Amino acid sequence: MSIDDAIGKMTDLITAACASAEIKAAKISDEEARLSVYAPAEEMQKIKDATFQPAIDLLNSDGMDVQVFVYDKDAPPLKG
C-alpha cells in the first residue's frame, strides 16, 4: 500500500462519518501523512471513532502512519 492509498482509505472513512467534513492532507514522507479535518463540533467524535482503529491498523499492517487531527470548523482561530 502506498501513502496515497492510505490517505484515500482514511478520507473515505472520514467522509462516511461526516459528509460535510473538509479534509486537508499533507504528505510528510512515503510512509507518513497528516490529515487535518474541519467538521462541525457535533460530528468531531464520530470522525475520531471512525478513524482511530483503522489508523492503528494501517500503521501495524502496512507501516503507514496516517495521523488524523479533527478540529471544530466553527471555532474562532487562535490568536498568538
Side-chain angles (χ1 to χ4, degrees):
M1 173 178 288
S2 71
I3 193 64
D4 291 322
D5 294 335
I7 290 170
K9 179 177 181 171
M10 295 304 285
T11 298
D12 290 346
L13 291 171
I14 293 164
T15 53
C18 176
S20 66
E22 180 183 339
I23 305 163
K24 295 181 182 178
K27 286 188 228 177
I28 309 301
S29 71
D30 288 343
E31 299 87 24
E32 185 179 359
R34 174 190 170 116
L35 299 181
S36 297
V37 182
Y38 302 89
E42 62 273 8
E43 301 291 328
M44 291 173 62
Q45 193 59 50
K46 246 169 66 170
I47 295 167
K48 291 176 186 179
D49 292 344
T51 58
F52 179 76
Q53 191 60 50
I56 291 172
D57 294 344
L58 280 172
L59 183 60
N60 290 333
S61 65
D62 296 295
M64 295 292 144
D65 185 7
V66 181
Q67 302 165 27
V68 178
F69 296 89
V70 185
Y71 303 99
D72 180 354
K73 73 176 187 78
D74 298 317
L78 296 175
K79 296 182 180 175

